[in-house]
Amino acid sequence: MDDEYAKLLRRMNPPRVVIDNDSCEDATIIQVDSVKKHGILLHVVQVLTDLDLVITKAYISSDGGWFMDVFNVIDRSGNKVQEEEVINHIKKTLESDDISAPLLRRTVGLMSSEEHTSIELTGTDRPGLLSEVCAVLTDLHCNVVNAEIWTHNARAAAVVHVADDSTGYAIEDPKRLATIKALLCSVLKGNSDMRSPKMTLSPPGVTHRGRRLHQIMFADRDYVKVERVQGRAEEKGSSPQVTVFDCSEKDYTVITMRSKDRPKLLFDIICTLTDMQYVVFHGVVHTRRMEAYQEYYIRHVDGLPISLEAERERVVQCLEAAIERRASEVW
């Protein structure tokens, strides 16, 4: 009954997007108003990120039953968003009631096709790993259509789209897939690895690839610090600063982050919080001089703030990992 009421509210109050190129001198302002729905913040950020737009500021508010976000965005050249095709797509996609609607993806590495096999890999990172994986796939007559691989904290994860190099279509033979899995797992296994390497097949286009890589590395517990990697980051002075504390008078948990700014940073943070089953009620994002400051007021999806110190520490570790992972993105 509650679900039907929520659907009625959304029909009565459809999402509304206002795109303003006049109010701000150096950025396009995008305001999104909608009935609150779990995952909508991630959807909005994902749409903007996949269009290769840079979010320089953001103001988030989703208290009660209403969601309102304001984003200042520019393109990769530092200009306002002027293309009618892009503006129309943003409005059409974000004003759709279906937050899983197909997205216009303009960046290399976000292609999706029914004519390939999607392979997910996890294992121990080491020099030469990528070339060994490619060599195995070549020997097995697999053509790499596109791929994305991240390494973090001595772990590696990849989503690779392959096709048969003679037909150009997806590989469906179970015996051949079993051979591919056995050989890739053999390559991925490190000499002292206590965690087993994994290769799984996934349907293309089901989950956004950047989000899937976060999920794979999170499941592989890459956020648990390896001492030598942590020491190296500290020497460079580039470690993100993440704090988690209580806001007892408002019954929220507050998260603040300072880190080096980079493309897709906001997507990575919101993706991680969403997949960890937290809801952002209020938030602010500011970037300047290559530094990003983020502040979020969150609760768990059950409506409760974080109460245990162990959970606070885990959130800090996971957000630090989310900030650091994409720095090692290749392909």
Side-chain angles (χ1 to χ4, degrees), residues 218-219 221 223-224 242 244 272 275-278 300 306 308-321:
F218 175 80
R221 293 174 58 82
Y223 54 85
V224 178
V242 182
V244 179
T272 299
D275 284 338
M276 291 181 72
Q277 300 298 301
Y278 295 111
H300 198 267
I306 297 172
L308 300 176
E309 183 59 32
E311 186 179 0
R312 275 190 282 269
E313 291 177 3
R314 184 167 176 263
V315 168
V316 170
Q317 288 181 322
C318 291
L319 291 176
E320 287 176 346

Side-chain angles (χ1 to χ4, degrees), residues 94-114:
L94 295 183
E95 287 179 348
S96 168
D97 190 48
D98 181 9
I99 66 171
S100 61
L103 306 179
L104 174 67
R105 292 175 178 169
R106 308 197 318 174
T107 54
V108 175
L110 291 171
M111 295 183 295
S112 179
S113 169
E114 297 297 331

Side-chain angles (χ1 to χ4, degrees), residues 72-84:
N72 285 26
V73 303
I74 53 176
D75 63 22
R76 286 294 183 90
S77 300
N79 302 315
K80 294 183 180 183
V81 182
Q82 303 282 5
E83 297 176 50
E84 284 299 321

Side-chain angles (χ1 to χ4, degrees), residues 13 28 55 119 212 281 308:
N13 300 279
T28 296
I55 299 170
I119 297 175
R212 188 67 193 125
F281 287 84
L308 300 176

Side-chain angles (χ1 to χ4, degrees), residues 51-313:
L51 287 168
D52 216 16
L53 301 177
V54 178
I55 299 170
T56 59
K57 292 181 182 179
Y59 302 92
I60 300 161
S61 179
S62 61
D63 226 344
W66 196 254
F67 168 88
M68 188 196 78
D69 265 13
V70 179
F71 299 95
N72 285 26
V73 303
I74 53 176
D75 63 22
R76 286 294 183 90
S77 300
N79 302 315
K80 294 183 180 183
V81 182
Q82 303 282 5
E83 297 176 50
E84 284 299 321
E85 179 191 8
V86 176
I87 291 173
N88 291 336
H89 176 77
I90 292 171
K91 288 180 65 69
K92 181 179 178 181
T93 306
L94 295 183
E95 287 179 348
S96 168
D97 190 48
D98 181 9
I99 66 171
S100 61
L103 306 179
L104 174 67
R105 292 175 178 169
R106 308 197 318 174
T107 54
V108 175
L110 291 171
M111 295 183 295
S112 179
S113 169
E114 297 297 331
E115 298 181 348
H116 63 245
T117 301
S118 184
I119 297 175
E120 298 177 354
L121 305 169
T122 54
T124 304
D125 183 31
R126 69 174 188 279
L129 177 61
L130 178 59
S131 62
E132 291 180 37
V133 169
C134 290
V136 168
L137 292 173
T138 300
D139 288 344
L140 294 170
H141 305 288
C142 299
N143 177 45
V144 177
V145 179
N146 57 76
E148 201 166 341
I149 181 168
W150 292 357
T151 62
H152 176 250
N153 210 14
R155 306 300 297 169
V159 176
V160 185
H161 294 166
V162 301
D164 183 278
D165 64 3
S166 58
T167 67
Y169 290 98
I171 301 166
E172 297 179 348
D173 178 17
K175 289 185 178 179
R176 187 176 176 190
L177 291 172
T179 300
I180 292 172
K181 180 174 182 178
L183 291 176
L184 286 178
C185 285
S186 177
V187 167
L188 287 164
K189 184 167 180 59
N191 294 330
S192 59
D193 190 9
M194 300 300 292
R195 286 175 276 186
S196 298
K198 295 178 183 178
M199 190 211 95
T200 57
L201 301 176
S202 62
V206 172
T207 303
H208 184 277
R209 190 158 65 189
R211 184 176 185 183
R212 188 67 193 125
L213 281 162
H214 278 299
Q215 291 171 344
I216 293 169
M217 298 205 85
F218 175 80
D220 196 44
R221 293 174 58 82
D222 75 308
Y223 54 85
V224 178
K225 289 288 186 182
V226 175
E227 192 169 328
R228 62 179 179 85
V229 176
Q230 185 179 20
R232 187 171 60 208
E234 286 173 353
E235 287 174 11
K236 292 182 179 180
S238 59
S239 296
Q241 300 173 19
V242 182
T243 61
V244 179
F245 57 92
D246 295 328
C247 179
S248 54
E249 64 272 16
K250 297 292 185 180
D251 209 24
Y252 291 120
T253 296
V254 183
I255 298 173
T256 66
M257 283 165 279
R258 290 188 184 275
S259 66
K260 183 179 179 181
D261 189 29
R262 60 163 175 77
K264 304 181 183 180
L265 177 62
L266 180 57
F267 169 80
D268 294 333
I269 294 301
I270 300 301
C271 177
T272 299
L273 289 172
T274 302
D275 284 338
M276 291 181 72
Q277 300 298 301
Y278 295 111
V279 178
V280 176
F281 287 84
H282 301 282
V284 62
V285 177
H286 285 288
T287 63
R288 63 177 184 179
R289 292 186 180 180
M290 302 299 292
E291 183 185 67
Y293 173 78
Q294 302 177 68
E295 180 178 287
Y296 301 106
Y297 289 72
I298 69 164
R299 294 183 189 135
H300 198 267
V301 289
D302 62 8
L304 298 175
I306 297 172
S307 58
L308 300 176
E309 183 59 32
E311 186 179 0
R312 275 190 282 269
E313 291 177 3

